[in-house]
Amino acid sequence: MNEFYLKVYEIVRKIPKGRVTTYGAIAQCLGANRSARLVGYAMNLSHQFDPTIPAHRVVNKNGLLTGKHHFSTPTQMQELLEAEGIQVKNNQIKNFEKLFWNPCE
DNA sequence: ACTTTGACTATAA
DNA sequence: GTTATAGCCAAAG
C-alpha cells in the first residue's frame, strides 16, 4: 500500500456531503499533478479493500461521471449524488464549479 | 520483461 | 462544440 493511495482515500473520505472534487485536484493536492489517472486507479482498487469510500463524489475535471460504470449499476453514482442534493444531467454535474470542493483546503 | 489498458488532463487542430 | 495526440503512472495479462 503506497502513501499515495492512503492519501487519496483520506481526502475522498473528507469530501463534505453534497460536494464533489476531481481526480486532478486530488493528485495536485498530493503533489502528483500529472498523476490524475493514479487517483482514478486508486479508486478502482479501493472497492476491493475499503468500499466505504464515497467514490461517487469524485468526478473528472469536466464534472462528468466517468466512473459510473464501475459501480454496482451504471445509475447508482448519479442516484447517490442526487440523494445528496447534487443535480446531474447527461452524466454531468450541474453547477459543478460551485459544488467543487478543494481537497487542499 | 514487454505490452496493453485505464474512474485523467492539457494542448492543438 | 468535437476529435486527436501526447504525457503521465500503475496494475494486469
Side-chain angles (χ1 to χ4, degrees):
Chain A
M1 217 45 234
N2 295 338
E3 185 181 13
F4 180 83
Y5 292 99
L6 295 177
K7 287 183 178 178
V8 171
Y9 303 142
E10 182 181 359
I11 290 174
V12 174
R13 273 192 275 255
K14 287 180 180 177
I15 301 176
K17 177 185 176 185
R19 304 292 294 278
V20 293
T21 191
T22 69
Y23 304 98
I26 295 173
Q28 189 175 26
C29 182
L30 299 181
N33 192 339
R34 301 167 184 173
S35 300
R37 308 183 79 137
L38 282 301
V39 178
Y41 211 90
M43 297 275 81
N44 192 3
L45 297 179
S46 70
H47 77 88
Q48 50 184 306
F49 66 91
D50 202 338
T52 62
I53 295 179
H56 58 279
R57 298 184 185 142
V58 183
V59 296
N60 73 344
K61 189 173 179 288
N62 299 312
L64 295 174
L65 311 186
T66 55
K68 62 185 295 184
H69 292 295
H70 292 263
F71 286 78
S72 303
T73 62
T75 59
Q76 187 174 14
M77 185 172 185
Q78 179 173 340
E79 291 176 356
L80 288 170
L81 290 172
E82 290 177 346
E84 296 182 355
I86 300 176
Q87 295 177 327
V88 178
K89 180 67 176 181
N90 192 18
N91 291 341
Q92 186 172 10
I93 295 177
K94 287 186 177 180
N95 213 2
F96 172 68
E97 295 182 1
K98 291 184 179 179
L99 294 176
F100 176 78
W101 176 79
N102 190 334
C104 294
E105 291 178 353

